[in-house]
Amino acid sequence: MTAEGTRARLTELEVRLPWTSVKKTWGPRREQWVREVLSTTSCESLSNLVLVLENALKTETLDPGWADVREEWKVSVSTARSPEAIDRMVYKLEHAIQWKDLQLNRAGTIARPLPPASICDDASAPPPDGLPRASLRIMLMLRAMGIRSYSPAVVLQL
């Protein structure tokens, strides 16, 4: 494994993470982090950037058993001085992420279930407080089409 391959693996992992799996502080930091990953030539710097990404992940994004091995993993990352060793640590992090629980759809966003049928299904009645009429109509349309989950980005386009 080369340093270039390790950098690519790390950035690809980050790209696959939905925004809901990272802390809110990651948004402003992300662009700079990507630049640093792509430009670093030092294994020590790359190791530190792996730790930064792991720290940006929400606790619920990671397997519950991660807490038991996290400190040992962090020591292994901070002492890794070869692209191969860093790549192994990125691999471990990637496999600790609960991908199945993130319910990613093809667009890479989280698919959300439609709410169950309720009194809101009466299109002639006014929607509950705080729910715009257009949102209610879109929800009813999706349910009528047999759709069970949706991507918020797609619904916004409707």
Side-chain angles (χ1 to χ4, degrees), residues 4 66 72 113 129 139 157:
E4 185 176 304
W66 182 252
E72 180 183 333
D129 289 340
M139 181 185 68
Q157 293 175 8

Side-chain angles (χ1 to χ4, degrees), residues 11-129:
T11 54
E12 287 168 10
L13 171 62
E14 192 282 332
V15 165
R16 289 185 9 231
L17 291 168
W19 284 105
T20 56
S21 67
V22 293
K23 299 172 185 169
K24 290 182 181 191
T25 56
W26 182 244
R29 172 82 171 98
R30 181 190 182 274
E31 195 173 309
Q32 178 64 32
W33 180 87
V34 170
R35 278 196 299 270
E36 289 176 24
V37 169
L38 296 176
S39 66
T40 189
T41 56
S42 154
C43 285
E44 184 177 358
S45 295
L46 192 56
S47 293
N48 289 333
L49 292 165
V50 172
L51 292 171
V52 169
L53 177 61
E54 188 272 345
N55 190 52
L57 296 174
K58 291 180 179 176
T59 306
E60 60 269 19
T61 300
L62 297 162
D63 186 270
W66 182 252
D68 299 333
V69 299
R70 183 174 189 244
E71 290 307 313
E72 180 183 333
W73 177 85
K74 285 172 64 175
V75 168
S76 297
V77 172
S78 21
T79 58
R81 294 297 175 252
S82 71
E84 295 82 10
I86 297 169
D87 193 68
R88 283 192 299 275
M89 296 302 105
V90 173
Y91 176 85
K92 286 183 180 183
L93 177 61
E94 184 175 10
H95 283 80
I97 295 170
Q98 300 185 87
W99 295 107
K100 66 181 182 324
D101 292 345
L102 296 179
Q103 300 176 3
L104 296 179
N105 61 23
R106 290 183 186 160
T109 57
I110 295 184
R112 300 182 184 192
L114 278 175
S118 67
I119 57 167
C120 294
D121 287 350
D122 181 6
S124 63
D129 289 340

